[in-house]
Amino acid sequence: MPGRESDKSTAPAGQYRERNSTADRALDILGMFSATQLSVSGKEVATTLGTARSTAYRYLQSLVGSGFLEEDPLGGFRLGPRVLELARLARRRYGLSDIALPVMAELSSRVQETVLLTRRAGGNAICLERAEADHPVRISYERGSTLAINAGASALVLLAWLPRDDARTLLERERLEQFTPRTLTDIDVLMDRLETIREDGYCVSRGELDSDILGIGAPLRDASGTVTAALSVAALEHRVSAERLPGVVDSVLEAAARISDKLALAAG
């Protein structure tokens, strides 16, 4: 109706900014969570937002009411069921998980090691799925975790198939963290490493993200041939001898090719 259009178009600009500010504050609170901070307190939120504690609790209770947070029995607030549901829906939207998981399970059974599915988001690598072996290893790539792009087989594969200038720009923009003594942080050295990975068609990393962990990663391509994700095996380094390594590399490459073929078929 004309009257309604008029009301909407003439709403005070400050009112719109206030609504937007509230959304920003909510996102700031959700952004406080990480692998090392699984719950937040009202005091921490107030400090982060620069607000009174009563204001922080108002934001927190709003997020609890919408299911994005819930009260932690140990104190503070933790991520709520709505976040888990959104993560599930996001994985389904890509269609990648449904296609990749059966192949990942077969690969894990064949090589008896943990298999990971990752994709890039800006300057980070995100673990979408994980298929466990009978002897799971403790690694940084938990499902849903976000890690830097300069360390680990999966991350380097995702970076290697970017256009060279884009890869350098991304590396120059990010703070390159030194996770272990083997982590590469020199951009020129990293660029040479990426060139080698592209030539080989896969990446082998040794203790670059987690000490004593060997990673073997290969690219996953969509119907257009663009690398959109990475498949990798993560194993204790001593479990993959020089004699065993070529066979595991071949298994990863074969599984990656199968997933890429299925992605192309699914796209029609």
Side-chain angles (χ1 to χ4, degrees):
M1 296 174 61
R4 226 168 254 206
E5 285 295 321
S6 176
D7 290 343
K8 183 176 180 180
S9 63
T10 58
Q15 183 180 344
Y16 175 80
R17 286 196 296 270
E18 176 60 29
R19 291 201 303 272
N20 198 38
S21 174
T22 300
D24 288 342
R25 295 294 179 92
L27 291 173
D28 288 340
I29 293 171
L30 293 175
M32 293 175 63
F33 291 89
S34 68
T36 56
Q37 183 161 7
L38 300 178
S39 67
V40 298
S41 68
K43 181 180 179 181
E44 290 171 329
V45 170
T47 299
T48 298
L49 299 184
T51 65
R53 197 175 302 187
S54 60
T55 302
Y57 273 106
R58 189 165 68 248
Y59 289 126
L60 285 165
Q61 290 302 325
S62 178
L63 287 167
V64 169
S66 58
F68 287 98
L69 295 182
E70 62 184 12
E71 293 189 16
D72 190 335
L74 300 179
F77 298 83
R78 64 187 182 187
L79 293 173
R82 183 60 179 150
V83 174
L84 300 177
E85 175 65 11
L86 289 176
R88 183 185 68 82
L89 292 174
R91 291 198 301 271
R92 285 186 60 187
R93 174 63 182 86
Y94 291 113
L96 179 58
S97 293
D98 291 339
I99 291 172
L101 276 171
V103 180
M104 292 172 63
E106 291 178 22
L107 176 60
S108 179
S109 178
R110 184 183 313 133
V111 301
Q112 285 299 294
E113 304 294 351
T114 297
V115 177
L116 306 169
L117 175 68
T118 55
R119 63 179 292 270
R120 186 176 67 86
N124 296 290
I126 298 175
C127 180
L128 295 179
E129 301 291 352
R130 176 169 166 161
E132 297 283 5
D134 292 335
H135 48 272
V137 294
R138 291 181 59 85
I139 55 176
S140 296
Y141 275 94
E142 299 293 339
R143 183 183 297 166
S145 63
T146 301
L147 295 169
I149 201 71
N150 65 303
S154 292
L156 293 177
V157 162
L158 293 169
L159 194 57
W161 271 271
L162 285 177
R164 186 176 178 84
D165 289 345
D166 290 352
R168 178 175 283 278
T169 298
L170 191 155
L171 289 171
E172 291 173 345
R173 189 179 67 226
E174 297 298 317
R175 184 177 69 84
L176 304 182
E177 186 173 348
Q178 182 90 43
F179 296 98
T180 76
R182 294 177 174 179
T183 306
L184 297 181
T185 57
D186 183 285
I187 292 178
D188 290 330
V189 175
L190 272 166
M191 292 302 297
D192 290 342
R193 175 81 180 282
L194 298 180
E195 185 67 32
T196 300
I197 292 169
R198 283 193 298 273
E199 292 174 356
D200 292 342
Y202 62 90
C203 174
V204 176
S205 70
R206 301 175 183 273
E208 296 173 25
L209 180 61
D210 295 286
S211 298
D212 303 322
I213 297 295
L214 179 142
I216 303 167
L220 300 179
R221 302 176 185 273
D222 62 17
S224 70
T226 301
V227 173
T228 57
L231 181 75
S232 63
V233 160
L236 290 171
E237 191 170 356
H238 74 265
R239 287 180 49 82
V240 185
S241 63
E243 294 76 19
R244 186 185 176 212
L245 180 60
V248 180
V249 169
D250 287 344
S251 293
V252 172
L253 288 171
E254 187 271 338
R258 285 175 58 198
I259 294 172
S260 296
D261 289 344
K262 289 175 180 290
L263 288 172
L265 287 173

